[in-house]
Amino acid sequence: MKSYIILTLCLLVVASKSFGQGTTLSLWEGKVPNQRVTDEQETRRQDDIFWVGNVQAPALDVYLPAPRAATGKAVIICPGGAYHHLAYDWEGTDIAKWFNSKGITAFVLKYRLPESKSLVERHKAPLQDAQRAMRLVRKNAKQWNIDPSQIGIMGFSAGGHLASTLGTHYDEVLSTPQDSIDALSARPDFMILVYPVITMQEAYTHTGSRDNLLGAKPDTSLLDEYSNELHVNANTPPTFIVHAMDDEPVPVMNSLLFYQALVSNGVMSEAHFYPEGGHGFALAIGKGYLQNWPNLLLDWIDSLK
């Protein structure tokens, strides 16, 4: 009897943990493109943030709202971490749960990080994973009660660079198509960029993110390729931007450059620049009127046709 009770309690704990974490889906079936077999292992570290590093098996964590509340909209979330690790709860699962409370389906993208020795071409891996994630969500849209024309990408800090890279390089062919999913569009229907790294140019870039993505001495062509303000055009998705003016690690000029490019190309966009907030504020809980930015975002999402 005692052993039965212990087993029952263990199963309840596991079930509770699984529900809280959402369902996890591998991005790729079979061989992951642009990756060789090594002895590297994913790392996980918990302090006041849950950090994931050295990702070897890119995946999507799926967070579904209650069916009765579902709006049909969805967002894929790219946590930040300077392309070195992922702030997985702070800029990932916490955000997904907030979206669920608003009837929006959310996905946290565990993307490969370019410092891994498993990668063949380091700078391509994050974008490959982001493209695949968008296509995978579109493939399963009906199953998840999602409108396939209302799927956005969101990113924080270096995750904002990845999100804006997808928004400006969604049709770039990075590897041989693996299956029918790769034939679907990878273009986001909208973008949400929160204190994003945008440019790789020396004056305003976040050096850590640039060096981790492109290496210590990248050539000019790579710097230009991943300076996303240079690749905005009329087909760039509508974009919502949030940044604090006193952000030291990632200067606000990153967002200003991208916003200027959006305006110049006639892309529907909205930007909120706060005088204070620093870097890495996520939902900005307890930070005065800065903590209202998610509500402004919700209003903007509701306004999208």
Side-chain angles (χ1 to χ4, degrees):
M1 182 66 180
K2 183 177 179 181
S3 61
Y4 172 80
I5 294 172
I6 292 173
L7 176 60
T8 302
L9 288 173
C10 288
L11 290 173
L12 286 172
V13 170
V14 170
S16 175
K17 185 176 181 182
S18 298
F19 180 78
Q21 290 180 344
T23 302
T24 300
L25 293 179
S26 296
L27 286 186
W28 308 95
E29 294 184 9
K31 189 178 186 301
V32 180
N34 189 30
Q35 186 164 305
R36 58 174 72 92
V37 177
T38 69
D39 60 356
E40 289 194 309
Q41 300 291 322
E42 180 177 297
T43 63
R44 299 184 173 205
R45 176 173 57 88
Q46 180 74 64
D47 45 37
D48 59 339
I49 293 175
F50 176 50
W51 299 100
V52 175
N54 207 22
V55 173
Q56 301 298 303
L60 272 179
D61 275 352
V62 183
Y63 286 81
L64 303 176
R68 189 171 180 177
T71 63
K73 301 178 190 294
V75 177
I76 299 169
I77 304 162
C78 305
Y83 282 122
H84 174 68
H85 46 212
L86 305 176
Y88 209 73
D89 52 0
W90 185 244
E91 295 172 346
T93 58
D94 283 3
I95 311 301
K97 293 169 186 175
W98 178 83
F99 274 125
N100 279 182
S101 74
K102 308 302 179 182
I104 298 171
T105 302
F107 305 85
V108 182
L109 177 58
K110 186 172 72 171
Y111 56 92
R112 287 173 290 169
L113 298 162
E115 292 180 295
S116 172
K117 65 183 181 181
S118 300
L119 301 179
V120 180
E121 293 183 273
R122 64 191 292 164
H123 60 90
K124 290 185 176 181
L127 180 56
Q128 285 175 313
D129 292 346
Q131 287 181 338
R132 179 71 174 187
M134 184 59 65
R135 290 168 173 147
L136 189 61
V137 171
R138 284 218 162 91
K139 174 71 174 179
N140 293 284
K142 184 176 181 180
Q143 173 187 335
W144 291 323
N145 197 25
I146 294 169
D147 183 336
S149 67
Q150 296 193 52
I151 305 170
I153 189 80
M154 179 183 202
F156 297 78
S157 194
H161 183 265
L162 177 54
S164 65
T165 303
L166 180 64
T168 53
H169 298 70
Y170 53 84
D171 57 357
E172 187 170 332
V173 179
L174 299 171
S175 59
T176 303
Q178 186 182 85
D179 51 33
S180 61
I181 296 174
D182 286 336
L184 298 174
S185 173
R187 181 185 180 274
D189 296 300
F190 56 92
M191 289 193 290
I192 305 161
L193 308 178
V194 187
Y195 42 85
V197 178
I198 293 291
T199 188
M200 296 286 109
Q201 306 301 321
E202 184 65 32
Y204 301 115
T205 193
H206 179 248
T207 304
S209 296
R210 182 195 64 192
D211 291 356
N212 290 333
L213 180 63
L214 305 180
K217 295 182 179 180
D219 60 37
T220 302
S221 62
L222 269 183
L223 292 175
D224 290 346
E225 176 70 9
Y226 288 94
S227 291
N228 293 328
E229 77 278 11
L230 304 178
H231 302 283
V232 174
N233 59 39
N235 293 321
T236 300
T239 304
F240 182 95
I241 301 173
V242 177
H243 215 129
M245 302 289 286
D246 63 348
D247 188 331
E248 293 184 4
V250 179
V252 71
M253 280 302 297
N254 281 265
S255 287
L256 289 167
L257 288 168
F258 200 72
Y259 183 66
Q260 182 180 43
L262 291 166
V263 172
S264 296
N265 283 275
V267 178
M268 187 186 114
S269 53
E270 180 170 319
H272 296 270
F273 299 105
Y274 290 84
E276 296 180 342
H279 188 72
F281 50 76
L283 290 172
I285 295 170
K287 287 189 172 288
Y289 73 96
L290 178 58
Q291 69 185 350
N292 192 51
W293 81 258
N295 296 321
L296 299 175
L297 169 62
L298 188 65
D299 289 342
W300 182 78
I301 292 176
D302 286 344
S303 75
L304 297 175
K305 305 299 183 185

